[in-house]
Amino acid sequence: FIFQNLAVTTAAAPATSMHGPPANMFDTVPGYEGTVAGGGGGYLPPPMPSVPMPVPEQAPSPPDWHIPSISEDRAREAFATYVSSKCCYSSAPVREGVITNMESFNTYRYRLETFMESRSTEWSQEPYTGQPVDAGVQPAPGPWQIAAQPPAFFQEHKQTIKVPYTSSVKNCHLCLGMGRNPCTTCAGAGNKVCWVCNGSGYRHSDDRCTHCNGRGRENCSSCSSSGSCQCDTCRGKRQLLVFINLNVKWSIEKDEFVAQDSSGLRVEKLEEVSGKELFKDAQNMVYPVRGFPDVSVAQASERFVRDHQVKYAQTSRMLQQRQTIELIAITKVNYMWKGKPNVYYVYGNEFKVNADDYPATCCCSVM
């Protein structure tokens, strides 16, 4: 865009965890060859768009924005609010300080946001209780052919979808289709060493242990003395429904640039405030800003637009982009107190104050 005459998830529940299933447990599904248990296969590249990307609209002529400098009264009010929020700051400099000079150092903040959709797949499992089995009935749709309900633009969300025609039934790999596993508490014995007599059968000299009736062992409560417990993976059903889950994620990637100024205020302070919005553009794909009075802003726009395309287009579908330029007002206030010069800054729409070298602090201690 060209500037001219500008002054100043309903998220689904996570898949059941995998307990080291063997690789041959999973069928080969065309289009999903890289899918592994538990995810980790990376995001899948989207298909090329079937129609050309829409051409960004022509930018309207920007208005002539003018942000007036703040008054001394407004600067004092912001300073007083700031000092009152500090338990160790005396209010004397606010009451007695004399403003000698106020300087404006307005700066620009450029922001580019890309809203995109990413897709990945993973083999998952759940106990088989009679669910439909459809593997091989017909070819499974590709990862990017499955319909997902996107949220509104620039709202992050996640959705998990079971891929059609990938569900099959397998014997549980953990219990080998038995539905139960040896109890880990008693090692399958059904009983364990008595904790009172430590297996001797006696408590003191010839006193018989009443806890185990002198046997030296007690029944295992974990398995009710059976020696085995229900398999946690198949929950005793002996079989698993194995299928591919498609994980869809809508996310926002954001980059910001703040033009340098000579005020002396640290740039990171500007992250706390908002500015006056000079320009906003939201489209499927934005063009870099051109002709902006501050060359560094135009350069940042060109760099960010290019970087987003390179970094995200290969693994995600870019649904919408928006770029904004804000003018952030910074006022440097010079004042005298007790014959010495001091400085504080008032900045942003919120009139936040920064006074790193406040001249009247006391030491606070917490008893």
Side-chain angles (χ1 to χ4, degrees):
F1 288 103
I2 299 175
F3 282 78
Q4 294 177 341
N5 302 322
L6 176 64
V8 193
T9 340
T10 307
T16 306
S17 60
M18 305 294 288
H19 296 276
N24 60 8
M25 181 175 177
F26 306 118
D27 299 328
T28 299
V29 179
Y32 293 86
E33 291 82 359
T35 302
V36 296
Y43 290 111
L44 304 168
M48 294 295 292
S50 56
V51 295
M53 291 294 289
V55 177
E57 301 171 4
Q58 183 66 33
S61 299
D64 183 7
W65 290 104
H66 174 66
I67 297 182
S69 299
I70 63 173
S71 65
E72 286 194 13
D73 288 343
R74 192 67 189 84
R76 283 187 184 279
E77 181 183 343
F79 195 33
T81 301
Y82 168 78
V83 171
S84 66
S85 69
K86 304 290 185 178
C87 66
C88 299
Y89 283 19
S90 165
S91 61
V94 178
R95 298 191 313 270
E96 304 164 3
V98 177
I99 295 178
T100 58
N101 185 33
M102 292 174 56
E103 303 174 83
S104 295
F105 293 92
N106 297 340
T107 189
Y108 300 106
R109 176 166 58 205
Y110 171 81
R111 180 185 293 124
L112 174 65
E113 296 171 280
T114 296
F115 180 64
M116 59 192 191
E117 176 184 335
S118 306
R119 298 192 173 200
S120 61
T121 57
E122 63 178 338
W123 280 104
S124 193
Q125 63 185 27
E126 62 189 27
Y128 178 62
T129 57
Q131 303 95 311
V133 177
D134 57 11
V137 173
Q138 68 180 65
W144 285 95
Q145 295 175 323
I146 298 172
Q149 183 60 47
F153 285 151
F154 299 102
Q155 290 188 10
E156 295 191 327
H157 187 60
K158 291 182 179 180
Q159 186 178 358
T160 298
I161 304 170
K162 185 182 290 187
V163 177
Y165 310 114
T166 63
S167 299
S168 61
V169 176
K170 308 289 183 181
N171 283 338
C172 178
H173 60 280
L174 200 66
C175 65
L176 302 179
M178 302 298 292
R180 301 183 70 84
N181 287 312
C183 176
T184 56
T185 303
C186 65
N191 55 65
K192 55 185 179 179
V193 174
C194 174
W195 66 272
V196 176
C197 66
N198 201 27
S200 68
Y202 297 90
R203 298 187 63 182
H204 305 290
S205 62
D206 293 333
D207 292 340
R208 190 178 184 185
C209 178
T210 55
H211 184 74
C212 65
N213 294 323
R215 293 188 303 139
R217 301 186 72 82
E218 59 178 314
N219 292 336
C220 178
S221 59
S222 297
C223 64
S224 302
S225 304
S226 68
S228 63
C229 297
Q230 178 179 286
C231 177
D232 289 335
T233 300
C234 68
R235 297 176 195 163
K237 302 301 182 182
R238 303 188 178 191
Q239 292 180 312
L240 297 171
L241 184 74
V242 179
F243 53 90
I244 294 177
N245 263 339
L246 173 67
N247 298 314
V248 188
K249 182 176 77 168
W250 291 272
S251 59
I252 304 168
E253 293 296 337
K254 179 174 67 175
D255 277 303
E256 288 185 355
F257 169 80
V258 177
Q260 291 292 327
D261 68 83
S262 57
S263 67
L265 180 67
R266 297 196 305 274
V267 171
E268 57 266 23
K269 287 292 182 181
L270 301 181
E271 297 175 3
E272 307 168 357
V273 298
S274 60
K276 185 72 173 180
E277 190 173 271
L278 300 182
F279 171 72
K280 182 176 182 179
D281 173 36
Q283 301 186 55
N284 294 89
M285 182 179 65
V286 299
Y287 281 162
V289 169
R290 299 188 185 279
F292 195 76
D294 191 314
V295 176
S296 65
V297 172
Q299 291 172 339
S301 174
E302 186 168 350
R303 183 171 68 253
F304 288 169
V305 170
R306 181 181 63 248
D307 289 350
H308 278 220
Q309 187 70 27
V310 171
K311 286 196 293 186
Y312 308 125
Q314 302 304 312
T315 57
S316 305
R317 177 179 284 165
M318 299 168 65
L319 302 177
Q320 186 85 347
Q321 288 186 306
R322 68 183 175 195
Q323 55 185 347
T324 56
I325 300 176
E326 295 172 283
L327 178 60
I328 305 176
I330 303 172
T331 302
K332 182 179 182 180
V333 182
N334 300 276
Y335 69 101
M336 297 291 292
W337 184 66
K338 289 189 174 182
K340 294 183 178 180
N342 296 278
V343 173
Y344 66 88
Y345 296 90
V346 183
Y347 55 99
N349 289 342
E350 297 80 3
F351 299 107
K352 286 194 71 94
V353 169
N354 177 250
D356 286 339
D357 298 318
Y358 191 71
T361 61
C362 62
C363 296
C364 296
S365 60
V366 178
M367 302 302 291

